[in-house]
Amino acid sequence: MDWALTSDQRMIRDMVREFVDAEIVPHAGAWDRAEEFPRQMFEKLGKLGLFGMTVANHWGGAGLDGVSYCLALEELARGDASTCVGISVTNSVYCYPISKFGTDDQCKRFLTPCARGEWLGAFCLSEPEAGSDASALKTRAERRGDEYVINGPKAWVTNGSVCGAMVVFAVTDAAGIGAQAVGIARGAFEAGRNYLLEREAFGKKIAEHSVWEERVANARIE
């Protein structure tokens, strides 16, 4: 198997990396301290096509492959984990189930606006007694005539859709979560490495002390 990235995959990675360095990294800490939702920044992410990365072109998405999707998530998580979660949720548990299980009319009404960056997707899963255990959910959708009535408690909304258990299990995004974990680890590693390269102790950079050289090397390997 050829593990080399294609030119398109590298282009996507580099585009998101540049955006993250310019628009997210300088502000992420302030957003956290202020408990602020950076709406304008998400509008920019939507215009970049990151709300519907794997959605087919005819529904307004970018039609990217899974590797490109994971590369984008890794770069976003490197800059800010919560921003990455917002994008991951929009792609994996909002756009994906609608594109997979929705009718053409539902895709036109609910998928296309999100894939075009006009809407931010959401997902209602956790409940007070069930947490995120999809098999223990008590919320039910009952059909009454031409409509569905949804009854049940929800603890919070991630980032609106309530999906059946079959859909919940189908949209488990292990690859995306893994990409986020790698991005968070990269961000932590790079922050620590940069600190060691900048600070001095006992007449030389901290990174030049053998004990820290070994620790940094082991962290990079991990």
Side-chain angles (χ1 to χ4, degrees), residues 45 76 88 127 135 145 160 182 198:
L45 289 168
L76 287 167
S88 175
E127 295 182 357
S135 63
V182 172
E198 293 169 3

Side-chain angles (χ1 to χ4, degrees), residues 14 22-23 29-30 34 45 61 67 83 91 93 95 97 99 128 136 138 143 156 177-178 184 205 208:
D14 294 346
E23 302 286 345
L45 289 168
V67 173
T83 297
N91 279 272
V93 294
C95 288
S99 64
K138 295 183 178 180
R143 185 157 193 164
W156 58 75
I177 293 172
I184 293 170
K205 303 292 186 184
E208 296 173 354

Side-chain angles (χ1 to χ4, degrees), residues 4-155:
L5 299 179
T6 66
S7 58
D8 287 343
Q9 290 166 348
R10 290 195 300 271
M11 180 184 67
I12 294 296
R13 179 200 62 192
D14 294 346
M15 177 195 72
V16 178
R17 179 176 295 175
E18 291 174 5
F19 180 88
V20 167
D21 286 338
E23 302 286 345
I24 295 179
V25 170
H27 310 292
W31 294 333
D32 282 348
R33 288 189 291 272
E35 299 181 4
E36 175 187 357
F37 177 74
R39 184 174 302 277
Q40 291 183 338
M41 191 276 301
F42 270 91
E43 291 175 355
K44 294 179 181 179
L45 289 168
K47 291 177 181 179
L48 281 179
L50 300 186
F51 282 12
M53 284 188 272
T54 61
V55 175
N57 296 125
H58 61 271
W59 293 125
L64 300 179
D65 62 279
V67 173
S68 297
Y69 170 61
C70 287
L71 289 169
L73 291 184
E74 179 184 341
E75 294 300 330
L76 287 167
R78 176 182 62 84
D80 183 37
S82 61
T83 297
C84 182
V85 169
I87 295 300
S88 175
V89 165
T90 298
N91 279 272
S92 64
V93 294
Y94 180 87
C95 288
Y96 177 74
I98 296 175
S99 64
K100 184 174 178 62
F101 299 101
T103 64
D104 285 351
D105 180 62
Q106 289 170 331
C107 288
K108 182 178 180 180
R109 293 172 60 195
F110 304 115
L111 178 62
T112 295
C114 189
R116 288 177 176 172
E118 299 166 10
W119 295 359
L120 186 64
F123 189 62
C124 306
L125 175 62
S126 299
E127 295 182 357
E129 297 181 3
S132 297
D133 179 4
S135 63
L137 300 181
K138 295 183 178 180
T139 298
R140 294 292 182 267
E142 300 176 357
R143 185 157 193 164
R144 298 181 185 177
D146 295 331
E147 298 179 343
Y148 279 93
V149 176
I150 299 175
N151 286 314
K154 290 293 174 181

